[in-house]
Amino acid sequence: LIMAKADIATYKNVTVLRPGEVVVRDIIIATTEKIIIFDEGHNQYYLFGSQYMQGLIQILRNYGPVLINEGEFILDTLKPEVTSLVVIPNPEPENDIVFTDAELSALKEYIENGGNIIIMGNWYQYFWPDSKNGYNDLTKDYGIIWYDGDVYDPKNYISAIYSVKVMNFGDNDIASLLTAGIDYVRFAGTGLNLTDPVENITVEHYPILIGNNETYLTLGASTDEPVVSGPDVIMASASIVNNKGKIFACGSSYLFSDYYYFGENEIFIENIILWIFGSKKLGVQILSGSVGYVGETISINV
């Protein structure tokens, strides 16, 4: 199903912003590559939809065709042999339900069979992790629990204490890969509690973005009692399920949005995608003499 949309529409001299669907057509598409699904079919706020995630989508298109999902997931696509990655910005429940039973079951089966997923949360007022078939129902079996809260830092912030300048990263190989070439990540949103998975599922957790010394997380306003603080605050994690499926869980959708922080976080986001698809970055060191003369042979070791 192809849906063509316009940012602006004019009719009888009346201009309408974000008018929605303009043309809808059923079209058969064939591709020899695995697809990437970007979900905006679960009541996502428009600044977290494809219109304002073009930076991320352009990166994803280097790895395969991107399907913008409208409405419920097409269940036949939620298979690792068809889809290489599913990206879910913060969804909003409808009648207190986020995903259908069939969608939730298909997503979990996809992850456990080797599928990859990026899931983004938000701060407590616009986040519903405990709704039926919401984020906690999706990830708790893998030991990923979402706080319905907010992260603050009264010292390391940009513009407001909820817009945290994260400068503390996990002490593991994946965190080193994902944070290569960056000094900080700009973040606004909630945190994660990483625990043991259920029986019969193996999960390796790798904290990626962790709190500065002054960072803390509450279940409400900045003046509420902190639930976790300092380096115990986990804002983003990478997890490997059954030695094959990858989950990148991030408490912030702002981090990825063009309207908000994509410009500051682009290298970090590129590194996430490199990890998801198993790409590697090599640290390169070039050694040579400091002085060379015309006509001489210079040896350079890379």
Side-chain angles (χ1 to χ4, degrees), residues 55-76:
L56 170 62
I57 289 171
Q58 290 305 320
I59 295 173
L60 293 174
R61 283 182 175 142
N62 293 324
Y63 296 87
V66 178
L67 169 68
I68 308 300
N69 180 67
E70 302 279 356
E72 294 181 13
F73 286 112
I74 301 169
L75 298 183
D76 284 345

Side-chain angles (χ1 to χ4, degrees), residues 177-196:
L177 174 67
L178 268 57
T179 58
I182 62 175
D183 297 319
Y184 72 91
V185 172
R186 191 171 178 186
F187 177 98
T190 191
L192 308 164
N193 180 22
L194 301 181
T195 65
D196 294 330

